[in-house]
Amino acid sequence: MRRRAGLAAAFALLAAPAAAQDLTLTGVMIGADHQTYREVPFRVPAGVTAVTVEFAYTGREQKSVIELGLRDPQRFRGWSGGNKARFTVSETWATPSYLPGPLPAGTWRLILGVPNLRKDARAEYTAKVTFERNGRFQGFAEAPLTTGPAWYRGDLHLHTAHSDGSCAAQSGKRAPCPLYRTLEAAAARGLDFVAVTEHNTSSHHQALAELQPAFDRLLLIPGREITTFQGHANVFGTTAPLDFQLGGPRAPTLGRILDQAEAAGALVSINHPGLPSGEACMGCGWTAPTGDRRIAAVEAINGGNAVGLAFWEARLNEGRRVTAIGGSDNHDATLDPARAPAVGVPTTVVHAENLSQAAILDALRAGHAFVDLAGSRDRLLDVTARAGSASARMGDVLRIPAGERVSVEVRLKGVETGRLAYAGPLAARIREAGVGPLSADETRTLTLVGEQPLSGWLRIDVRGPDGRLWLLGNPIYLEPATSRP
């Protein structure tokens, strides 16, 4: 009778209104359920992009064990037994033990196996079923890997065997390079996050889901390099399907691709726009439209080379507030700087609220970042502008009250013998206190001189004694306090 009561409770939940609601399935196992299986049905509505199950039960102190698996209306989707209390299945990835693939609407079944339940025991179970409907992916890590605001270092452009990455096999011959080798190289570099950006495919997302728990200090962000005949763009933070056939019936315009990325909550960055495009690399240079404001970033530095810098500055001069980032574009998991681009060279350094996918992408959108071209572990460029009680860091807008003086504080580490450099319409207005080579750890204060109103963008960089770019900053945008964006 108790077993029937448990099933009745589960079916009652299925009868609840609102077809797309999340569900809580409950039931009871008793001694008579020892070494039996039960399939608990629940209904998945149309349009669901991911299903997550969180499972808990009582009676462990009596050695009660309830194991877990899943069926969709058409096939078996996996079995985790007693080793996972939470799992997700989606179209392009699933928690290891489970299979990714289409999520058909209809009656699914949670498979419960009972390898042990004593004759007089009672185990109550609860399964919380969550439906993701909009394709917005929150990350493979269930919680921030590091808490608290900090500067986090990462590589935003990497390739493995899931596209055209290759490295040495045991024999020394070149072979498709497994994803884990790239992650091991990133960890050895001391990075905090990486985006693996395979060409047009999402096949690597399953590997990322499997490897994230093992790399619990390295945040793994799903990415794709949308490779078109009119340019390449990285899309960060989604596992949702995306079209790439720009100019064809699936994506007649760039706007169609950006619509999909926007719906998925992803961040889009134009890659290496200054490279030549031709038979050697079709579409490597960017010739698609540039005016869509849903393009949030430009890869100004690719593999240590400033191939996108002029393109990015042209966007800034058009009035766009777009973030400069860098990526190694590594294809062989190497850390050898003689075989550049090495993993982590350059490094994009982001000031984020914590080490989670959402926080890193939010900080990139906000422009709270700089690019370390050498991929060091410790170089720092932290810029804050102030006018009266108002302040702004890189990527922010400083609205200047009438008559207020503007000062810029530049905090630096690891750049001894380097020099500050300025770019943007307001660069000529800078006056620097303490002109001369920089020390290993110092803060410099700059002032902006001349008549107000001050309006435009200002960027602070660090260059070496030979003039080579070491650190590329993002702009601070200045405007009179009375104006509005």
Side-chain angles (χ1 to χ4, degrees):
M1 291 295 293
R2 287 177 177 174
R3 182 177 181 184
R4 290 181 179 176
L7 281 171
F11 278 111
L13 287 164
L14 297 177
Q21 285 185 347
D22 297 347
L23 303 174
T24 299
L25 310 176
T26 61
V28 177
M29 299 288 197
I30 60 174
D33 296 304
H34 175 67
Q35 294 189 353
T36 65
Y37 293 97
R38 179 184 300 181
E39 294 193 1
V40 180
F42 62 97
R43 190 159 191 83
V44 174
V48 166
T49 58
V51 176
T52 296
V53 176
E54 296 182 68
F55 188 74
Y57 62 92
T58 63
R60 293 176 187 270
E61 69 282 358
Q62 296 179 292
K63 307 299 182 183
S64 299
V65 178
I66 303 178
E67 297 183 333
L68 194 59
L70 185 68
R71 293 184 187 276
D72 71 20
Q74 302 168 3
R75 64 173 178 150
F76 176 69
R77 294 300 288 262
W79 178 259
S80 55
N83 65 66
K84 293 178 178 70
R86 184 181 191 276
F87 67 82
T88 296
V89 294
S90 75
E91 184 171 356
T92 60
W93 71 277
T95 302
S97 301
Y98 294 87
L99 298 174
L103 306 181
T107 300
W108 291 47
R109 285 173 165 72
L110 199 62
I111 309 170
L112 305 182
V114 187
N116 191 65
L117 200 64
R118 294 174 181 173
K119 182 180 294 187
D120 58 349
R122 173 186 172 90
E124 299 179 359
Y125 65 81
T126 301
K128 295 181 180 179
V129 184
T130 303
F131 301 135
E132 184 179 283
R133 303 174 185 84
N134 57 12
R136 291 178 180 262
F137 175 64
Q138 298 303 310
F140 294 115
E142 295 180 12
L145 302 189
T146 303
T147 58
W151 289 99
Y152 296 105
R153 314 180 84 85
D155 191 336
L156 291 169
H157 196 160
L158 295 163
H159 296 278
T160 75
H162 289 271
S163 54
D164 53 349
S166 67
C167 53
Q170 287 181 311
S171 66
K173 295 180 180 179
R174 301 296 292 183
C177 199
L179 190 149
Y180 79 88
R181 287 199 187 178
T182 294
L183 301 188
E184 287 179 338
R189 173 71 68 184
L191 299 181
D192 299 302
F193 64 90
V194 294
V196 182
T197 53
E198 309 293 7
H199 294 286
N200 299 329
T201 187
S202 59
S203 65
H204 55 300
H205 295 164
Q206 182 61 38
L208 292 172
E210 178 179 351
L211 291 167
Q212 180 66 89
F215 287 86
D216 58 355
R217 296 179 181 175
L218 179 67
L219 182 70
L220 310 184
I221 299 174
R224 255 166 290 178
E225 185 168 16
I226 301 299
T227 307
T228 82
F229 302 142
Q230 299 175 42
H232 299 184
N234 273 343
V235 181
F236 304 114
T238 183
T239 62
L242 297 171
D243 288 317
F244 65 91
Q245 295 161 279
L246 181 58
R250 294 184 181 276
T253 66
L254 178 64
R256 178 72 62 84
I257 296 173
L258 295 175
D259 287 344
Q260 295 172 351
E262 182 180 36
L267 186 151
V268 178
S269 172
I270 294 175
N271 287 352
H272 44 66
L275 287 179
S277 180
E279 290 183 348
C281 185
M282 184 57 66
C284 277
W286 188 265
T287 59
T290 60
D292 198 306
R293 294 185 178 273
R294 292 175 294 182
I295 298 172
V298 170
E299 188 183 66
I301 311 296
N302 174 272
N305 300 308
V307 294
L309 185 56
F311 178 94
W312 172 55
E313 289 184 339
R315 307 289 78 74
L316 297 176
N317 289 332
E318 292 170 355
R320 297 280 306 284
R321 293 173 182 171
V322 59
T323 304
I325 62 174
S328 68
D329 207 354
N330 176 268
H331 282 67
D332 62 1
T334 185
L335 286 172
D336 184 356
R339 293 171 54 197
V343 172
V345 180
T347 297
T348 300
V349 190
V350 179
H351 193 274
E353 291 303 308
N354 54 59
L355 186 55
S356 66
Q357 176 176 297
I360 294 296
L361 296 185
D362 283 348
L364 287 171
R365 288 186 181 95
H368 298 165
F370 67 91
V371 181
D372 182 345
L373 277 76
S376 76
R377 291 174 180 260
D378 59 356
R379 281 181 169 173
L380 176 65
L381 172 63
D382 191 359
V383 182
T384 304
R386 294 183 174 85
S389 60
S391 65
R393 67 186 325 150
M394 287 184 290
D396 293 341
V397 178
L398 180 68
R399 295 189 171 89
I400 307 164
E404 290 287 354
R405 178 181 177 183
V406 177
S407 64
V408 182
E409 181 180 275
V410 186
R411 183 170 168 242
L412 302 144
K413 287 186 179 180
V415 290
E416 58 270 27
T417 75
R419 292 180 180 273
L420 295 181
Y422 317 115
L426 298 175
R429 309 280 289 271
I430 284 286
R431 294 295 180 268
E432 180 179 347
V435 176
L438 299 164
S439 60
D441 185 349
E442 70 170 289
T443 299
R444 289 204 176 175
T445 301
L446 320 173
T447 56
L448 271 71
V449 300
E451 295 182 2
Q452 290 206 29
L454 294 171
S455 182
W457 60 273
L458 173 67
R459 190 180 82 238
I460 312 294
D461 302 329
V462 177
R463 293 185 176 270
D466 58 359
R468 291 186 180 181
L469 188 61
W470 282 3
L471 304 178
L472 174 69
N474 267 287
I476 294 174
Y477 305 94
L478 288 78
E479 60 185 36
T482 55
S483 68
R484 289 292 181 267

